[in-house]
Amino acid sequence: MTSKTNIAALLSNRELEIIRLITLEYNNQDIAKHLDISKRTVETHRKNIFKKTKVKSVVGLVVLALKNGLVP
């Protein structure tokens, strides 16, 4: 997974949006409020993001997002 296209193909638009918010230091509750969804839904999206990308930490997720141009 080294290109933006590969990552974008793996993840839904909502998952990409959640990654962007994570990189802006939003916590689950903040993300839920911002997207008008439940905290539990955010937790499920995060779990799915970690599975799909095979990262093990938020730091790894941020690095992946930066390397693949998913965030400015």
Side-chain angles (χ1 to χ4, degrees):
M1 288 181 293
T2 58
S3 75
K4 183 177 179 179
T5 305
N6 290 342
I7 296 299
L10 281 177
L11 303 170
S12 69
N13 288 336
R14 179 65 84 176
E15 290 167 340
L16 292 169
E17 188 172 15
I18 288 173
I19 290 172
R20 184 181 62 80
L21 293 172
I22 290 169
T23 64
L24 294 173
E25 299 184 54
Y26 281 50
N27 62 31
N28 286 354
Q29 188 64 44
D30 295 336
I31 293 170
K33 285 180 187 176
H34 184 77
L35 299 178
D36 197 28
I37 59 178
S38 75
K39 184 179 172 191
R40 178 76 176 134
T41 301
V42 174
E43 291 166 357
T44 300
H45 281 305
R46 284 178 69 136
K47 183 177 91 176
N48 291 337
I49 291 166
F50 277 68
K51 270 188 192 177
K52 289 179 181 181
T53 61
K54 296 181 173 70
V55 296
K56 296 180 178 160
S57 68
V58 173
V59 172
L61 184 62
V62 171
V63 169
L64 180 77
L66 291 170
K67 283 184 177 178
N68 288 279
L70 300 178
V71 293

